[in-house]
Amino acid sequence: MTPPAEGPRLFECATCGSVGIGDNRPECCGEPMAATETEAAAVSKPSLETLLKTVFDMSGTELDICLCVMEGGELTVAELAEQIGYDRSVVARHLNHLADLGVVEKRRRIRTEGGHVYVYTPQPPEVVRERLREEFLSWVRLATAQLDDLQREKVEAIADAETGEKQWTVFQEQ
């Protein structure tokens, strides 16, 4: 599965194994990084729902709420809950997560009859794309670090295998 030519590509440093994503060939360890070949990858292209769930911890319900705000403009929790038929607490929780991601803006509005209400408005599409891209790249950095830790643990376990002690435990669901 080769990425589109116009999109960002994946690169790897031949010296240290660091991974880079970008439109231009990045450098690492003083050398240009090599583009990785992805045609033989065992991983299939993720659906939008899978990507949003995996990287942003966004459920189908949250995606529904996000799309409603994007289409509906400025909305309160009560207005949105009534419009889509979800409980207000569910809507509020998801809107706060979307605000944390930078997809919607949360503002406090003083009501003329007293008190206040939070109003949620969609960010422009280019802002949403940039925020999601930043979050995705942060997730990739964390995932890469996890893989590096796994590789380091495996190498250490192989080096310690001479002791005859069991180094890896396999857990199986019953």
Side-chain angles (χ1 to χ4, degrees):
M1 174 169 78
T2 304
E6 69 277 355
R9 296 188 59 201
L10 186 63
F11 298 90
E12 185 174 12
C13 177
T15 305
C16 70
S18 292
V19 176
I21 299 174
D23 298 322
N24 298 318
R25 195 168 170 184
E27 287 192 10
C28 184
C29 298
E31 299 281 330
M33 296 173 86
T36 60
E37 297 298 324
T38 56
E39 286 186 43
V43 178
S44 60
K45 179 180 177 182
S47 67
L48 178 60
E49 186 175 342
T50 300
L51 180 69
L52 294 174
K53 172 65 180 155
T54 303
V55 179
F56 307 109
D57 197 25
M58 193 183 290
S59 66
T61 301
E62 192 163 357
L63 180 57
D64 290 345
I65 291 170
C66 180
L67 294 174
C68 286
V69 173
M70 295 299 172
E71 292 172 358
E74 186 176 273
L75 294 167
T76 65
V77 170
E79 292 167 342
L80 188 54
E82 184 179 319
Q83 181 180 337
I84 61 176
Y86 289 127
D87 185 73
R88 287 171 56 164
S89 64
V90 170
V91 172
R93 184 178 67 239
H94 289 302
L95 283 171
N96 285 325
H97 183 234
L98 292 169
D100 290 344
L101 287 174
V103 174
V104 298
E105 181 182 3
K106 177 181 178 180
R107 288 190 332 267
R108 187 174 150 190
R109 180 192 297 158
I110 305 298
R111 301 173 68 179
T112 56
E113 60 272 10
H116 69 272
V117 65
Y118 287 103
V119 178
Y120 297 84
T121 55
Q123 294 283 14
E126 58 277 0
V127 171
V128 172
R129 272 192 296 278
E130 186 56 33
R131 283 294 301 136
L132 291 180
R133 182 182 168 132
E134 288 170 5
E135 290 292 323
F136 173 73
L137 292 175
S138 176
W139 181 85
V140 167
R141 281 190 291 278
L142 294 171
T144 302
Q146 288 282 49
L147 291 174
D148 288 346
D149 288 346
L150 176 64
Q151 183 179 9
R152 198 172 7 268
E153 287 175 18
K154 186 174 179 183
V155 169
E156 290 170 3
I158 291 169
D160 291 341
E162 296 169 1
T163 65
E165 293 180 33
K166 192 173 177 184
Q167 300 297 321
W168 289 85
T169 305
V170 178
F171 296 95
Q172 208 171 20
E173 284 189 28
Q174 300 292 332

